[in-house]
């Protein structure tokens, strides 16, 4: 019972806790279903009991928090169900629907005693946020976008988003800096929170910074490690996953956990399970570059030597072959020339003698034919001469008699002879008169005879009629 | 073949091309000497790239500072 001191009613702590216990037992007599996120399972392997931390979040902020108890037998039964349904044991960071009862222990305080957990609900809740992000990115057509960014041949310049003091970052640096092949990397740390409420905005802020200097880098590496399985839900955040999907450089992740891949890891160009594996991946890329170069060196050198050797050998064979072939060819040609020379001499001698014979025959035929032809021509000429002489004499004789006749006629007709035969010529003023019409009375008429002439004066003119004159003219002929 | 120094990516691709040509026997002895010389240059470029970087952190930080003013004030303290 409470004691009274100075008018104050004073309770012991156990009385208070006992009162709370009684009041709660009266108020919460039955079990009920609760939805909450289990931030941490807090399983104690020694006792087998669990003391989960339950939280409720609204827009990323914790709005309610309560401890819970999960006794060993309940835990084992529920865990079996989880493995069966979720293919994973009960674990931190899942939202769950559970059946619980308020319990208050004077020593351990207020807690929800978990009697049962619905594994199907947890499965759905866990996947819901993740699936929503995935679906939205897929609907926007950007889910696989980062994977289509061309990966550089040598991912040498790395923008690292990590926590400077984290084990994951240290592991990563150790692997790439101490690689035994002397590969050289360049990396700059962009420090960021990687779990908890502010991780999303912190990573996005650093992505925005890297984007501004993206030309200096080949890849972005998000490296976490040592943080266990807690607080991975930020990597299922839609806005963060979207930034990564749309990032202009390939984003590679080494977040270091054993559960299903988060959305960020799904959209990343490449997801390695741990930071060490991520560093190995980069080294593999370097190998993939270095090995062909090494091989090129070997192949080119070996092939060049082989080709030169083969060519030299071929050349030697060719020279030998050429020498023998040319020698044969020369000999063959020499023989052929000799044969031709002999043939030429023989054939030309034959042709010459044949031509000579043919010439002689032609000469004989030609001279006999021309002699015959000369004799015939001479005979012809002689007979023609005889005939010509005969013809010329006869022709001359007949022409002479014709000329003699003409001469006699011409002699008879000479004016002297005509005048001797009694004809006279009458003239007036030197002009011969043949008609009375030309004469006038009193004109001096000169009459010429064979032996001279007289001049007389005309005293009378008698003119005969014309037809009589004509008739007399005809009779006188 | 350009006169300027090829990037390591170009060098790598050209080198692979030469190896392919040589392996397929497409190269004559006449071209061999030139190809081998070229390959040696390309191999040196590739090997140098593997074991050295020319990055300057200060330049990147300078570039970042130039654009830092565009970010919200509360995020700059991160």
């Amino acid at each position: 019972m409470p004691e009274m001191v100075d008018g104050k009613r004073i309770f012991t702590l156990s009385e208070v806790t006992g009162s709370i216990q009684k009041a709660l037992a009266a108020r919460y007599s039955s079990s009920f279903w609760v939805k909450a996120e289990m931030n941490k399972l807090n399983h104690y392997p020694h006792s087998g009991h669990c003391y989960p931390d339950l939280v409720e979040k609204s827009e990323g902020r914790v709005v309610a928090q309560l401890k819970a108890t999960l006794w060993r037998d309940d835990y084992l039964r529920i865990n079996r169900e989880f493995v069966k349904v979720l293919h994973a044991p009960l674990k931190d960071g899942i939202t769950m629907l559970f059946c619980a009862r308020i319990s208050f222990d004077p020593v351990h305080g207020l807690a929800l005693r978990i009697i049962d957990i619905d594994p199907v609900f947890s499965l759905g809740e866990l996947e819901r946020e993740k699936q929503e992000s995935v679906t939205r990115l897929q609907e926007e057509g950007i889910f696989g976008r980062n994977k289509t960014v061309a990966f550089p041949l040598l991912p040498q310049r790395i923008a690292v988003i990590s926590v400077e003091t984290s084990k994951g970052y240290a592991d990563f640096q150790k692997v790439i800096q101490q690689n035994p092949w002397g590969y050289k990397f360049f990396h700059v740390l962009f420090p960021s929170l990687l779990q908890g409420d502010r991780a999303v905005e912190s990573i996005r802020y650093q992505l925005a910074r890297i984007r501004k200097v993206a030309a200096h880098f080949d890849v972005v590496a998000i490296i976490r490690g040592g943080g266990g399985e807690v607080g991975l839900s930020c990597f299922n955040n839609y806005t963060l996953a979207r930034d990564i999907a749309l990032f202009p450089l390939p984003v590679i992740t080494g977040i270091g956990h054993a559960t299903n891949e988060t959305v960020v890891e799904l959209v990343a160009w490449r997801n390695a399970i741990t930071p060490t594996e991520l560093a190995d991946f980069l080294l593999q890329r370097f190998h993939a570059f270095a090995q062909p170069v090494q091989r090129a060196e070997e192949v080119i050198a070996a092939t060049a030597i082989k080709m030169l050797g083969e060519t030299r050998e071929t050349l030697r064979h060719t020279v030998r072959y050429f020498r023998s072939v040319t020698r044969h060819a020369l000999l063959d040609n020499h023989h052929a020339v000799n044969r031709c020379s002999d043939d030429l001499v023989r054939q030309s001698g034959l042709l010459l003698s044949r031509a000579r014979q043919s010439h002689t025959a032609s000469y004989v035929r030609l001279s006999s034919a021309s002699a015959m032809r000369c004799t015939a021509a001479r005979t012809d000429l002689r007979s023609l001469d005889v005939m010509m002489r005969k013809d010329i004499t006869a022709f001359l004789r007949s022409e002479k008699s014709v000329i003699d006749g003409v001469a006699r006629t011409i002699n008879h007709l000479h004016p002297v002879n005509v005048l001797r035969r009694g004809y006279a010529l009458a003239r007036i003023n030197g002009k011969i008169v043949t008609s009375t019409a030309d004469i006038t009375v009193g004109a001096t008429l000169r009459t010429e005879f064979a032996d001279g002439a007289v001049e007389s004066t005309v005293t009378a003119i008698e003119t005969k009629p014309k037809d009589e004159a004509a008739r007399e003219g005809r009779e006188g002929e | 073949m350009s006169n300027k120094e090829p990037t390591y990516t170009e060098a790598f691709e050209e080198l692979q091309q030469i190896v392919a040509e040589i392996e397929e026997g497409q190269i004559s002895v006449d071209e061999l000497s030139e190809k081998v010389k070229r390959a040696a240059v390309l191999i040196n470029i590739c090997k140098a790239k593997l074991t050295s970087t020319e990055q300057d952190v200060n330049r990147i930080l300078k570039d970042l500072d130039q654009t830092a003013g565009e970010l919200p004030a509360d995020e700059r303290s991160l």
Side-chain angles (χ1 to χ4, degrees), chain B residues 47-62:
Chain B
K47 283 188 163 177
K49 181 68 184 171
L50 281 165
T51 53
S52 68
T53 65
E54 294 160 358
Q55 290 303 304
D56 180 1
V57 182
N58 292 327
R59 229 179 86 214
I60 297 171
L61 293 179
K62 204 175 132 205

Side-chain angles (χ1 to χ4, degrees), chain A residues 177-197:
Chain A
Q177 280 169 4
Q178 296 178 3
N179 77 79
W181 303 279
Y183 298 153
K184 185 94 171 184
F185 291 89
F186 166 81
H187 60 92
V188 175
L189 177 68
F190 292 81
S192 169
L193 299 172
L194 289 177
Q195 58 197 54
D197 294 345

Side-chain angles (χ1 to χ4, degrees), chain A residues 49 79 132 181 188 218 247 330 332 462:
Chain A
H49 304 315
N79 208 31
E132 271 171 10
W181 303 279
V188 175
D218 297 317
F247 207 74
L330 272 174
D332 286 353
E462 282 173 33

Side-chain angles (χ1 to χ4, degrees), chain B:
Chain B
M1 213 183 289
S2 68
N3 289 328
K4 72 173 168 65
E5 176 95 336
T7 67
Y8 76 93
T9 307
E10 289 163 353
F12 184 80
E13 280 165 9
E14 195 182 334
L15 188 59
Q16 296 305 97
Q17 179 64 32
I18 291 175
V19 171
E21 284 171 9
I22 281 186
E23 284 186 327
E24 286 163 27
Q26 290 176 359
I27 288 182
S28 69
V29 174
D30 291 333
E31 300 166 297
L32 187 64
S33 158
E34 200 182 314
K35 290 283 181 188
V36 170
K37 261 187 241 164
R38 179 68 180 162
V41 171
L42 298 173
I43 286 168
N44 282 338
I45 291 170
C46 292
K47 283 188 163 177
K49 181 68 184 171
L50 281 165
T51 53
S52 68
T53 65
E54 294 160 358
Q55 290 303 304
D56 180 1
V57 182
N58 292 327
R59 229 179 86 214
I60 297 171
L61 293 179
K62 204 175 132 205
D63 286 358
L64 265 178
D65 286 345
Q66 279 171 354
T67 54
E70 297 164 24
L71 296 167
D74 64 318
E75 290 190 338
R76 225 179 298 159
S77 61
L78 276 168

